[in-house]
């Protein structure tokens, strides 16, 4: 019978997971390998026993789904998928197969328990989900309850990851509304643990995994990505993941985590994000020995070979996705600097660890100087760690000083960089790598300073920045010496102390230590979040507020601004403006609390401001390719119009429209209802 016959072309339909048009790894290419053909045949057999729908109808559904996927028309599929005509000649046609089940399996279409009675009927969902119809708040509450019951941060991450695979809108609503609690799970510190165990935790693909062995197929791999026109890609080679070192392919977790924040913290649609890991092997012996390790079991290649691989990737990425912005993430030091220099003028790309971190720390430093009672011109900064982040931050600060009138040399002279061998000087006897030369000191009169204590005694700094990936290097004696060197200038002067390494296990010191060792005078920012710290004094308690100095305050807004401005590249001015605008983002309550970054709950507000100023910088620099008339119009209306333009484009799922809330049509908290009995099933 015709309805029992499945053509190869329609075989995908037999498994809901792989047929959803925008589910990961379904999509435009047909199965070619023998294994997938076998799988597909067995699925056909299984399905033909279960679903006697005609191959014509199935092909037509598949066609519709593919059209929906290719056009990115989610609404098309949602509105029309349930209307697929059924073959009247068949005795029993599972309606769910003609719509409902697919809708529930597709994370971008699934609305959980908030499908209306009408939708349940139209999409053949009746009975496939529990009877209750719930509003967003109730569903968010359930998720938060589930997260709280999970024992470890990794378990909580896994719950969230599973939610993300099932209902994207709900996942992002939960994340956005609970960012203080959940960002530490989807990002640092938990993402560090997830990366360490990625090969064991793996259940499903979430990224593109491009092995150096497949370098001739990079275009095909990119074309296999199921979503059209990604706007932002975070790519890593896993060689320096947070402060955890070379994790090989397991480092892909950081690309996934950063992109969750592009959506959560800046509102870039999740379908427009693309996580990639370039798998060129690993020098991590533990990974190589792990039978479950998912990456290439080989040592990393020569830098020249790696460079060719990355060259090929960049070319292919531009060819397949010409509009896509590429963020380099967590490449080890030399590669980070080399690739940035090599690609920054030719491609739309930036390096988050060098430029994003530079901007976020400068943004915080501007506020910190105001609080420190040490004038900008008197600040002296010691950096512990002279790698991609350390040098990136110091250079961004030099830019700030020169924009305030200092010569480049005078600005540079404010920085003393320290690495594992001590103060970086020209004459300390080792061959300095290229990136350290800019800040190498020559005014040390032949003296070498091997320990941080010696450097502090010599420099008498007002600020100490840690980017070493080494836990505890800011010891009590170091922090007390910093305080003493600041205090020496007069009362009320406060030390700036930024232990910025991630995850928490790599922080140079804790917040509690910083408060205690400076008698509460510290101005503090760390890479991963610490909790506020309360100290009892008599009957009262004083609460100290830490800051999180993490590039999450910059990269989402920088990326969003560059995308919306249709920038052809990322210029220094755009990066600088992300820092300068971040520094302006504090509200009165944050200033009153003595913060230097907005509360993390306001990261989306900050990203919006950063994106706007980045867009304007792109326009000034002549790299925005938006039509001139558009800019003229915005310039007439000022920031209001540009802000509205950005707001209108950000993804803010399951949020009642502002006008409805204002009109009292949507209460902040609604009672759940039960779905009315469907009129027809
Ligand atoms: N808060 C944030 O937003 C960011 C934090 N980071 C963190 O910064 C850390 C470093 O990152 P990268 O600069 O990219 O790494 P990197 O490997 O390029 O640089 C590390 C530097 O620290 C030095 N170092 C290591 N151990 C040391 C020790 N005991 N004493 C003195 N110097 C020491 C090394 O010599 C090197 O100069 C990582 O933990 C990373 O997670 C990086 C980017 C952003
Ligand atoms: C935050 C970040 O980019 C890092 O630790 O590498
Ligand atoms: Mg990073």
């Amino acid at each position: 019978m015709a309805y029992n016959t499945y053509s190869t072309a329609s075989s995908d339909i037999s498994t809901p997971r792989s047929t959803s048009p925008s589910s990961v790894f379904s999509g435009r290419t047909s199965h070619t390998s023998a294994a997938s053909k076998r799988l597909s045949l067995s699925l056909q057999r299984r399905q033909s026993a279960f679903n006697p729908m005609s191959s014509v109808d199935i092909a037509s559904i598949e066609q519709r789904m593919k059209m929906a996927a290719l056009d990115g028309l989610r609404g098309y599929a949602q509105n029309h998928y349930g209307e697929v005509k059924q073959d009247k000649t068949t005795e029993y046609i599972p309606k769910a197969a003609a719509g409902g089940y697919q809708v529930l399996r597709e994370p971008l279409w699934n609305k959980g328990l908030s499908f209306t009675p009408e939708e349940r009927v139209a999409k053949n969902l009746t009975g496939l989900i529990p009877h209750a119809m719930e509003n967003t708040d109730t569903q968010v509450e359930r998720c938060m309850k589930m997260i709280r019951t999970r024992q470890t941060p990794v378990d909580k991450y896994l719950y969230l990851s599973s939610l993300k695979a099932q209902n994207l809108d709900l996942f992002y609503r939960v994340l956005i509304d609970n960012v203080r609690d959940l960002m530490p799970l989807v990002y640092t510190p938990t993402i560090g643990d997830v990366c360490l165990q990625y090969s064991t935790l793996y259940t499903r693909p979430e990224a593109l995994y491009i092995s150096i062995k497949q370098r001739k197929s990079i275009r095909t791999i990119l074309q296999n990505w199921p979503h059209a026109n990604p706007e932002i890609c975070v790519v890593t080679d896993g060689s320096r993941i947070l402060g955890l070192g070379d994790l090989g392919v397991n480092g892909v977790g950081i690309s996934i985590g950063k992109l969750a924040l592009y959506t959560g913290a800046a509102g870039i649609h999740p379908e427009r994000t693309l996580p990639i890991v370039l798998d060129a092997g690993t020098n991590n012996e533990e990974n190589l020995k792990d039978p479950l390790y998912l990456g290439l079991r080989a040592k990393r290649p020569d830098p020249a070979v790696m460079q060719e691989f990355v060259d090929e990737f960049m070319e292919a990425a531009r060819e397949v996705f010409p509009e896509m912005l590429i963020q380099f993430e967590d490449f080890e030091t030399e590669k980070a600097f080399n690739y940035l220099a090599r690609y920054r003028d030719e491609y739309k790309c930036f390096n988050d660890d060098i430029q994003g971190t530079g901007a976020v720390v400068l943004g915080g430093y501007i506020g910190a100087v105001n609080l420190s009672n040490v004038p900008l011109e008197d600040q002296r900064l010691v950096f512990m760690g002279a790698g991609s982040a350390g040098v990136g931050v110091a250079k961004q600060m030099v830019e700030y000083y020169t924009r305030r009138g200092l010569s480049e040399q005078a600005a540079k002279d404010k920085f003393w960089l320290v690495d594992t061998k001590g103060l970086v000087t020209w004459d300390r006897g080792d061959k300095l790598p290229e990136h350290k030369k800019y800040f190498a000191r020559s005014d040390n009169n032949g003296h070498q300073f091997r320990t941080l204590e010696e450097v502090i005694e010599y420099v008498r700094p007002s600020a100490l920045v840690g980017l070493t990936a080494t836990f505890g290097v800011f010891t009590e004696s170091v922090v007390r010496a910093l305080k003493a060197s600041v205090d020496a200038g007069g009362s009320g002067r406060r030390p700036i102390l930024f232990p910025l390494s991630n995850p928490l296990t790599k922080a140079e010191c804790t917040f509690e230590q910083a408060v205690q060792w400076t008698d509460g005078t510290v101005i503090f920012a760390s890479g991963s979040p610490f909790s506020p710290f309360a100290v009892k004094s008599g009957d009262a308690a004083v609460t100290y507020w830490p800051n999180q100095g993490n590039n999450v305050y910059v990269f989402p807004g920088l990326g969003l601004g560059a995308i919306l401005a249709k920038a052809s590249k990322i210029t220094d001015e755009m990066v600088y403006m992300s820092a300068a605008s971040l520094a302006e983002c504090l509200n009165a309550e944050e200033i009153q609390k003595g913060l230097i970054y907005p509360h993390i709950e306001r990261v989306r507000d900050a990203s919006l401001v950063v994106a706007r100023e980045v867009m304007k910088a792109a326009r000034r620099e002549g790299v925005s390719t938006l039509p001139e008339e558009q800019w003229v119009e915005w310039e007439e209306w000022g920031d209001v119009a540009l802000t509205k333009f950005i707001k209108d484009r950000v993804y803010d799922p399951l949020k009642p429209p502002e006008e409805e809330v204002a009109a009292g049509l949507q209460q902040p908290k609604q009672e759940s209802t039960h779905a009315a009995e469907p009129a027809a099933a």
Side-chain angles (χ1 to χ4, degrees):
M1 283 194 299
Y3 51 76
N4 273 339
T5 315
Y6 284 78
S7 68
T8 311
S10 65
S11 63
D12 274 354
I13 198 75
S14 59
T15 163
R17 258 265 178 265
S18 63
T19 52
S20 314
S22 47
S23 75
V24 175
F25 299 109
S26 69
R28 295 175 228 160
T29 51
S30 55
H31 297 299
T32 49
S33 74
S36 17
K37 275 191 185 133
R38 272 198 307 279
L39 173 67
S40 145
L41 274 170
S42 103
L43 288 167
Q44 285 168 34
R45 270 186 232 114
R46 241 190 292 157
Q47 186 67 16
S48 55
F50 162 67
N51 179 6
M53 196 192 282
S54 85
S55 60
V56 175
D57 284 335
I58 287 167
S60 125
I61 294 167
E62 191 189 32
Q63 186 57 27
R64 285 165 186 239
M65 293 169 77
K66 279 191 172 158
M67 279 174 63
L70 288 172
D71 295 342
L73 292 177
R74 181 178 176 199
Y76 173 92
Q78 277 179 327
N79 294 335
H80 297 273
Y81 192 45
E83 295 169 12
V84 176
K85 290 266 180 305
Q86 291 161 10
D87 182 346
K88 300 282 183 222
T89 63
T90 56
E91 287 167 23
Y92 165 61
I93 302 158
K95 291 183 202 162
Y101 211 52
Q102 304 292 347
V103 171
L104 297 178
R105 288 295 183 103
E106 169 50 54
L108 276 161
W109 300 348
N110 186 10
K111 290 166 69 176
L113 290 165
S114 55
F115 286 107
T116 62
E118 294 74 24
E119 286 171 326
R120 292 172 190 222
V121 172
K123 294 176 199 297
N124 301 323
L125 294 171
T126 314
L128 295 185
I129 49 177
H131 191 62
M133 194 180 95
E134 291 183 348
N135 60 34
T136 304
D137 289 340
T138 308
Q139 293 180 86
V140 169
E141 193 180 318
R142 175 178 297 105
C143 297
M144 289 308 292
K145 193 166 180 182
M146 287 302 294
I147 291 164
R148 280 185 214 110
T149 60
R150 294 290 195 272
Q151 292 300 307
T152 67
V154 170
D155 288 343
K156 292 172 199 278
Y157 174 90
L158 292 176
Y159 171 79
L160 279 167
S161 175
S162 151
L163 176 63
K164 192 177 170 198
Q166 294 167 54
N167 187 338
L168 261 183
D169 282 352
L170 184 57
F171 167 79
Y172 278 110
R173 187 75 260 146
V174 174
L175 176 61
I176 293 165
D177 288 351
N178 298 279
V179 69
R180 180 172 292 277
D181 290 333
L182 302 192
M183 201 171 86
L185 299 173
V186 300
Y187 188 48
T188 184
T190 305
I191 200 69
D193 287 330
V194 170
C195 287
L196 286 167
Q197 304 171 49
Y198 181 81
S199 287
T200 310
L201 299 175
Y202 180 86
T203 53
R204 69 191 168 94
E206 274 187 275
L208 284 180
Y209 306 77
I210 306 179
S211 149
I212 196 165
K213 298 267 188 216
Q214 301 160 315
R215 52 194 278 195
K216 297 294 166 235
S217 316
I218 298 177
R219 280 169 189 73
T220 311
I221 295 173
L222 292 169
Q223 283 159 357
N224 281 347
W225 185 247
H227 306 299
N229 305 324
E231 291 172 329
I232 174 73
C233 154
V234 174
V235 62
T236 186
D237 72 343
S239 55
R240 190 288 276 147
I241 295 298
L242 305 174
L244 302 168
D246 181 356
L247 301 189
V249 83
N250 288 352
V252 69
I254 199 71
S255 297
I256 296 166
K258 292 264 176 185
L259 285 166
L261 297 180
Y262 263 106
T263 302
I268 293 181
H269 195 281
E271 229 182 9
R272 296 280 175 262
T273 67
L274 170 51
I276 295 186
V277 59
L278 298 178
D279 180 8
T282 178
N283 294 338
N284 181 325
E285 292 294 341
E286 259 180 60
N287 284 354
L288 291 173
K289 278 191 236 138
D290 178 359
L292 295 182
Y293 180 61
L294 292 168
L296 193 61
R297 281 168 204 280
K299 286 277 168 78
R300 288 188 180 274
D302 253 26
V305 176
M306 185 66 193
Q307 174 114 60
E308 280 171 25
F309 179 33
V310 182
D311 280 353
E312 285 164 8
F313 164 71
M314 293 300 282
E315 249 177 65
R318 184 167 56 190
E319 199 181 302
V320 178
F321 301 126
E323 301 297 321
M324 185 172 76
L325 171 65
I326 296 176
Q327 169 171 325
F328 285 98
E329 190 66 48
D330 290 6
F331 283 75
E332 63 194 332
T333 329
E334 289 301 321
K335 281 182 278 180
F337 284 109
N338 289 346
Y339 299 165
L340 178 61
R342 190 172 176 87
Y343 303 123
R344 59 174 303 163
D345 291 328
E346 217 191 312
Y347 290 91
K348 204 193 297 189
C349 67
F350 71 101
N351 182 293
D352 183 41
D353 300 293
I354 300 171
Q355 296 170 289
T357 314
V360 84
V361 181
L362 171 57
Y365 176 68
I366 294 170
V369 171
N370 287 335
L371 295 172
S372 72
N373 300 319
V374 179
L376 184 64
E377 58 277 16
D378 294 344
Q379 294 279 348
R380 295 159 71 83
L381 297 99
V382 168
F383 275 56
M384 186 72 160
S388 43
V391 171
V393 171
K395 281 206 170 157
Q396 196 63 63
M397 288 187 174
V398 166
E399 175 75 21
Y400 178 64
Y401 274 103
T402 55
R403 285 180 188 232
R404 271 169 178 61
L406 255 64
S407 69
E408 188 178 351
Q409 188 58 49
K412 212 165 37 156
D413 284 349
K414 297 204 150 293
F415 297 85
W416 286 262
L417 267 57
V418 183
D419 63 14
T420 42
K421 300 192 182 80
L423 183 66
V424 179
T425 62
W426 280 108
D427 57 357
R428 75 178 185 183
D430 59 334
K431 187 171 170 340
L432 291 180
E434 217 37 56
H435 68 272
K436 289 186 188 168
K437 289 183 179 164
Y438 183 82
F439 286 106
R441 305 289 307 200
S442 55
D443 55 355
N444 52 320
N445 297 323
H447 295 297
Q448 304 305 330
F449 304 87
R450 301 293 177 190
T451 67
L452 186 53
E453 282 88 343
E454 285 168 17
V455 176
I456 289 178
E457 198 185 330
Y458 166 61
V459 176
R460 307 205 63 78
S462 54
L464 179 57
V465 176
L467 286 158
T468 57
T470 310
F471 181 76
V473 290
F474 292 170
T475 58
E476 181 166 358
S477 67
V478 161
V479 176
R480 289 199 183 280
L482 171 72
K483 178 176 185 288
S485 80
V486 179
D487 269 354
S491 63
R493 290 159 61 110
R494 300 175 61 191
I496 296 172
L497 184 65
F498 290 176
L500 294 171
S501 290
N502 295 314
L504 280 173
T505 51
K506 302 291 174 183
E508 284 79 6
C509 70
T510 67
F511 181 49
E512 193 175 324
Q513 289 169 334
V515 170
Q516 283 173 341
W517 295 339
T518 61
D519 306 320
T521 59
V522 71
I523 302 163
F524 178 96
S526 58
S528 301
F530 282 100
S531 302
F533 175 56
V535 179
K536 271 209 136 189
S537 124
D539 285 344
V542 183
T543 301
Y544 295 92
W545 302 96
N547 292 277
Q548 186 176 1
N550 190 294
N551 49 32
V552 67
Y553 281 107
V554 163
F555 68 79
L558 176 58
L560 179 65
I563 290 164
L564 291 179
K566 292 192 181 300
S568 54
K569 61 180 183 172
I570 308 290
T571 66
D572 285 343
E573 172 73 5
M574 290 160 76
V575 176
Y576 180 80
M577 285 314 298
S578 68
S581 56
L582 175 61
E584 300 292 317
C585 280
L586 295 170
N587 65 22
E589 187 250 345
E590 288 153 354
I591 292 169
Q592 192 268 328
K593 273 190 173 150
L595 295 177
I596 57 174
Y597 294 107
H599 284 305
I600 200 67
E601 287 85 351
R602 294 209 313 114
V603 65
R604 274 172 88 94
D605 297 346
S607 295
L608 196 139
V609 173
V610 168
R612 187 187 67 213
E613 296 309 311
V614 166
M615 285 182 77
K616 285 155 65 180
R619 149 81 164 162
R620 284 196 300 279
E621 295 273 280
V623 298
S624 165
T625 60
L626 287 173
E628 181 61 18
E629 315 83 70
Q630 177 70 86
W631 281 109
V632 171
E633 193 187 314
W634 283 331
E635 278 159 10
E636 273 172 23
W637 287 97
D639 284 350
V640 179
L642 189 49
T643 304
K644 179 168 179 346
F645 172 83
I646 301 169
K647 271 191 171 171
D648 287 349
R649 273 151 193 79
V650 301
Y651 168 79
D652 200 0
L654 307 179
K655 188 107 202 231
E658 272 172 28
E659 2 8 306
E660 283 186 24
V661 175
L665 298 174
Q666 293 269 358
Q667 301 303 320
K669 195 93 182 165
Q670 296 167 320
E671 287 303 309
S672 286
T673 60
H674 276 80
E677 236 10 272

